[in-house]
Amino acid sequence: MATVAPAPAAGSTAAAPHVAPRPKAVSPKSAPGRRAASVSASSQAAWGQSKRPGPARGKSRDEVGWVKAHGGSGATSLVEAFGGVEVGARWPDPARGEPRRVVLVGRTSARGLRSVSQALGAFKDGNAPQGLELLGVVLVADAPGRLPLGLLRRIRVLRSVARVHRVPWIPAWRTGGRPKSTPGQLVTLAKLVGSELYGEGAVS
């Protein structure tokens, strides 16, 4: 049976029981880890504005620079096929001796098309070095077969702002090889960039 403490006598000045203060809840916005992550994210450079880009110089500034809209875009396979310079996920700077003629490369997946759109937006907004000539956008198939209607609509939007060239799914590229027969899309792309297919090699 619980024991009930006697009430203080009239006129007495009994001290009130001590109650420990409850710790204040830390809101997600003020949490140290969250704040550090927020600061880190805000300090990162936008697409195409790398703080310390590595040099991407070829034989001359007239060589084609292959710009990756995202990782796994297929730019490496294109460099191996057509030569030129693999720039990375940024716009090159001709003033630093980097290519002035560039091609933006991305996959036909939703993520790839979104990254291509962001890169094109940066280019159109003037967030790119002066003197660049965008030859076009190359969309490399992310899987065999036809694209869903939603992705085709996104590509249609991209075509309204830039020249878009699609490259089909090439199984040999998946294993680092060369296709036994040359797809017509690669022949057309070779004319676009002014290069021979599997010619002089690549500079990276």
Side-chain angles (χ1 to χ4, degrees), residues 12-153:
S12 65
T13 57
H18 176 72
V19 179
R22 296 179 63 183
K24 294 182 179 180
V26 180
S27 65
K29 293 183 179 180
S30 61
R34 185 70 59 84
R35 180 177 297 176
S38 176
V39 172
S40 176
S42 63
S43 63
Q44 292 178 351
W47 196 99
Q49 295 178 340
S50 301
K51 292 183 177 180
R52 295 180 179 179
R57 300 185 182 92
K59 298 176 182 177
S60 71
R61 289 190 305 171
D62 288 333
E63 278 196 295
V64 174
W66 301 90
V67 178
K68 300 190 299 182
H70 56 88
S73 64
T76 300
S77 296
L78 293 172
V79 171
E80 293 174 351
F82 300 101
V85 183
E86 185 173 347
V87 177
R90 65 179 180 86
W91 297 114
D93 187 356
R96 300 175 60 231
E98 296 179 327
R100 64 176 184 85
R101 301 167 63 238
V102 295
V103 178
L104 181 62
V105 186
R107 292 282 181 177
T108 54
S109 62
R111 171 179 172 267
L113 296 177
R114 184 168 55 250
S115 298
V116 168
S117 179
Q118 292 173 349
L120 280 178
F123 185 85
K124 297 295 183 180
D125 291 342
N127 296 325
Q130 295 292 325
L132 288 179
E133 179 186 355
L134 180 61
L135 299 180
V137 175
V138 174
L139 299 178
V140 182
D142 65 305
R146 296 173 61 87
L147 286 179
L149 182 59
L151 298 181
L152 289 174
R153 288 174 177 169

Side-chain angles (χ1 to χ4, degrees), residues 74 77-78 81-82 140 167-168 170-179 186 198:
S77 296
L78 293 172
F82 300 101
V140 182
V167 172
I170 300 178
W173 283 1
R174 194 175 190 184
T175 57
R178 298 184 180 184
L186 294 186
Y198 294 106

